[in-house]
Amino acid sequence: MSSYNVKEKNGLLYTDFNRTVADALANEAILDMQGITEAVSEYYYRNGKSFAGISVAPEYQEKFERLAEDAIEYYES
């Protein structure tokens, strides 16, 4: 596991939100994306309907834009 965006608390290592989103986008073909869609939706609505603070690598930008649309619509539908 790369140490990029890895945090430690009480002896546990975990990825920060940006890393989690990036990992999900990189592996979406083998993942159920419902959980990440819910998490991104929650982020959006808790941050004044903004995705500010989420950064993704350029190669995942298109995928993130689709995820963002799904996340916005998640609780509206």
Side-chain angles (χ1 to χ4, degrees):
M1 178 202 277
S2 164
S3 62
Y4 174 70
N5 290 13
V6 174
K7 309 270 186 189
E8 186 270 331
K9 184 175 182 177
N10 298 327
L12 295 173
L13 297 175
Y14 62 96
T15 57
D16 71 6
F17 192 69
N18 283 314
R19 170 72 183 268
T20 301
V21 170
D23 287 351
L25 293 172
N27 295 289
E28 72 176 330
I30 60 170
L31 295 175
D32 177 350
M33 293 296 285
Q34 181 176 347
I36 196 71
T37 302
E38 291 174 3
V40 171
S41 180
E42 182 78 14
Y43 183 98
Y44 175 78
Y45 286 105
R46 284 188 181 231
N47 287 286
K49 294 187 174 182
S50 171
F51 293 112
I54 297 178
S55 60
V56 295
E59 62 265 27
Y60 300 126
Q61 191 61 44
E62 252 182 67
K63 289 181 176 186
F64 179 75
E65 289 171 12
R66 286 193 308 271
L67 174 63
E69 288 176 23
D70 291 344
I72 290 169
E73 296 171 1
Y74 187 80
Y75 288 110
E76 292 179 354
S77 56

